Amino acid sequence: MARFELKLPKMGESVAEATITNWLKEVGDKIEADEAVLEIATDKVDSEVPSEVSGILVEQLFGKDDLVQVGQTIAIIETEGDAPAVKAVEEAAFAAEVTEIENTIETVKETMSTPQDFTTSDKFFSPLVKNIAKEEGISIAELDGMQGSGKEGRVTKEDILKYIEDRKSGAVTPKVAEPGKTVEAVKAAEPIVQKSQQAVPVSVNGGDEIIEMDRMRKLISGYMVASVQTSAHVQSFIEVDVTNIVKWRDKVKTAFEKREGEKLTFTPIMMEAVAKALKDFPGMNISVDGDYIIKKKNINLGMAAALPNGNLIVPVIKNADQLNLVGMAKAVNDLGNRAKTGKLKPDDTQGGTYTVTNVGTFGSVFGTPIINQPQVGILALGAIRKVPAVIETPEGDFIGIRQKMFLSHSYDHRVVDGALGGSFVKRVAEYLEAFDVDRDF
């Protein structure tokens, strides 16, 4: 008999931890290779952890609701025969840890040997105070956190000498910036004390039912409130004539499904137009980090999808601008189906640079969606409706029945002005209205 360590697998570049939500196997249960042992949840998606081997579950190292780091051992499985290279795995893990420690030491050395740059602080320090700080190895973060007794709160010679004395005696704990971090980053990491607002009391009578939010609904609630508090939301709306698209889809959808094995919905057609518009207006394909704007190299489109339980998730189509319509349809259908069945992986929801939500699915004509942070824009697709419209022709204008929809564009007014936000959604509309009805799929 041998013992196999089941570890929390890597679930994506930006996913470092997960919460155990349910054990599917109990101690003593027999497990087959690739059979799910437990369910886990990240801040984006729920998934299962399968076993790499067949055997008996002999130990659960964590309980339900415990937070586990990627790479941690979460269970022990007893297998027949020799353990599959357990020693080699342990040696590789030890070597990786040694390398990481060595890299950290080198980084710290580089940081310590770098001269203090006092220009990163908003405070004024006299040359004498700066020299004392350099000689005593006092970091900028420490200086910035001192309460000065001088004019306008400036740190004096007496203040810094007293601080040095207190630090040597252990009366104060030095605040040291992490390697590579600026004072601004240290400040940002500090907890922000906010004035607590008293919640409005809710009246509950005997006939009311009280239901606690599930984990995902709590997360969504937090994300939505944080987004509204972070971004200055503003909206632009535009009506689009999609008659040609409706006619083309009706004409080719049967042949498309027969040839590609995929249903052709309107969503991939809309996503294709959005990806093209983002290439034309890269100022919409950005994110905000404090006072800095990050222009994204890749166009990764998030598509908001409703789960069977009513919650929302946003899987991401990576490099959407590089896909043709067939590739886009396959990506949309794959992510949509896996969202409905709970088969999305954590990496499927990471890295989005712009989001599209189809509010028309539920019959809404248009909506005012909330931005998916740290992105700066989100486009809502309204329901396609038959409406009477004025049609302009060389022979004159007349009234006809057209297929129309509204596009609702929410964008972050901190960095996106009306000219850019309005021009972007207009370009999407232009691509849709200029759709080639003679194109192949």
Side-chain angles (χ1 to χ4, degrees):
M1 304 293 285
R3 292 164 68 87
F4 175 81
E5 295 183 353
L6 179 64
K7 300 179 184 294
L8 184 65
K10 183 176 175 62
M11 298 170 291
E13 292 183 3
S14 58
V15 181
E17 59 188 19
T19 301
I20 295 176
T21 56
N22 185 34
W23 281 96
L24 302 176
K25 297 292 183 178
E26 298 299 331
V27 173
D29 288 351
K30 186 176 180 180
I31 301 171
E32 299 295 333
D34 297 325
E35 187 176 6
V37 180
L38 69 158
E39 294 176 339
I40 59 172
T42 68
D43 62 343
K44 292 286 185 180
V45 68
D46 298 349
S47 58
E48 297 176 342
V49 177
S51 173
E52 301 172 41
V53 297
S54 298
I56 305 295
L57 180 63
V58 295
E59 191 174 356
Q60 295 175 348
L61 302 181
F62 293 91
K64 184 179 178 181
D65 296 328
D66 284 349
L67 190 65
V68 185
Q69 302 296 314
V70 168
Q72 275 190 292
T73 302
I74 49 182
I76 303 296
I77 299 173
E78 198 168 71
T79 65
E80 295 287 346
D82 295 332
V86 172
K87 185 175 181 181
V89 171
E90 290 177 349
E91 290 177 352
F94 177 75
E97 289 181 6
V98 170
T99 302
E100 184 177 352
I101 292 171
E102 290 176 347
N103 291 337
T104 303
I105 292 172
E106 290 301 319
T107 303
V108 172
K109 285 181 179 178
E110 292 176 5
T111 305
M112 292 177 65
S113 61
T114 302
Q116 296 279 31
D117 183 7
F118 293 96
T119 61
T120 58
S121 175
D122 294 332
K123 290 186 175 182
F124 170 80
F125 300 107
S126 68
L128 177 60
V129 170
K130 292 179 183 179
N131 288 332
I132 295 174
K134 289 177 182 178
E135 291 176 1
E136 296 293 334
I138 297 175
S139 68
I140 305 169
E142 290 179 87
L143 269 181
D144 211 55
M146 289 184 194
Q147 295 296 326
S149 60
K151 186 178 180 181
E152 298 180 354
R154 291 179 181 174
V155 177
T156 65
K157 173 186 174 182
E158 289 72 22
D159 295 328
I160 192 170
L161 291 177
K162 184 177 185 304
Y163 177 84
I164 294 169
E165 184 179 344
D166 291 341
R167 191 172 69 163
K168 289 179 179 178
S169 65
V172 296
T173 303
K175 183 189 293 185
V176 181
E178 294 180 25
K181 282 198 173 184
T182 63
V183 174
E184 286 76 10
V186 175
K187 286 182 180 179
E190 294 177 350
I192 300 174
V193 180
Q194 298 179 336
K195 293 182 179 179
S196 59
Q197 293 183 337
Q198 187 174 359
V200 178
V202 178
S203 175
V204 180
N205 60 41
D208 295 337
E209 182 181 4
I210 301 174
I211 303 172
E212 184 181 3
M213 294 182 188
D214 60 27
R215 185 192 63 84
M216 184 169 283
R217 177 48 55 185
K218 291 177 183 177
L219 288 171
I220 293 171
S221 174
Y223 291 148
M224 296 300 98
V225 172
S227 181
V228 172
Q229 291 177 341
T230 299
S231 296
H233 283 63
V234 67
Q235 284 83 27
S236 292
F237 307 93
I238 192 166
E239 191 175 26
V240 192
D241 189 329
V242 292
T243 306
N244 288 342
I245 293 176
V246 174
K247 288 181 178 179
W248 180 82
R249 176 180 172 271
D250 289 342
K251 181 178 69 175
V252 306
K253 63 181 181 181
T254 302
F256 185 93
E257 185 172 1
K258 184 177 180 180
R259 193 184 86 176
E260 302 296 337
E262 300 280 350
K263 290 187 179 296
L264 179 61
T265 65
F266 290 110
T267 301
I269 301 173
M270 306 295 174
M271 295 294 239
E272 182 184 52
V274 172
K276 288 180 180 179
L278 285 172
K279 290 192 75 171
D280 296 340
F281 294 95
M284 287 305 311
N285 198 52
I286 65 173
S287 61
V288 180
D289 183 12
D291 293 332
Y292 297 92
I293 295 173
I294 293 90
K295 289 187 175 182
K296 296 297 184 177
K297 178 182 178 181
N298 300 325
I299 294 177
N300 299 332
L301 289 182
M303 45 174 278
L307 298 174
N309 60 6
N311 287 327
L312 185 73
I313 198 164
V314 186
V316 177
I317 301 172
K318 307 292 174 61
N319 299 309
D321 57 313
Q322 299 177 19
L323 299 176
N324 60 16
L325 188 58
V326 173
M328 189 73 79
K330 290 180 180 293
V332 167
N333 292 342
D334 173 56
L335 291 173
N337 291 334
R338 287 197 285 126
K340 291 177 183 176
T341 56
K343 300 297 183 181
L344 286 174
K345 300 176 181 178
D347 201 41
D348 291 327
T349 61
Q350 305 293 327
T353 61
Y354 188 88
T355 298
V356 178
T357 178
N358 191 352
V359 298
T361 302
F362 313 104
S364 297
V365 178
F366 55 79
T368 55
I370 296 174
I371 297 168
N372 186 17
Q373 297 295 328
Q375 299 166 27
V376 299
I378 179 171
L379 185 70
L381 308 175
I384 298 175
R385 303 170 301 137
K386 288 183 179 180
V387 296
V390 176
I391 302 174
E392 298 179 358
T393 69
E395 291 76 27
D397 299 344
F398 66 92
I399 301 295
I401 303 300
R402 306 294 290 177
Q403 300 272 7
K404 290 197 172 189
M405 66 181 295
F406 281 100
L407 302 179
S408 310
H409 186 208
S410 294
Y411 46 95
D412 188 345
H413 213 351
R414 294 179 303 165
V415 290
V416 180
D417 292 327
L420 174 57
S423 298
F424 169 79
V425 71
K426 183 181 178 184
R427 183 61 54 85
V428 176
E430 289 170 350
Y431 278 127
L432 294 176
E433 291 186 340
F435 189 85
D436 183 6
V437 293
D438 297 321
R439 68 179 285 181
D440 189 15
F441 50 79

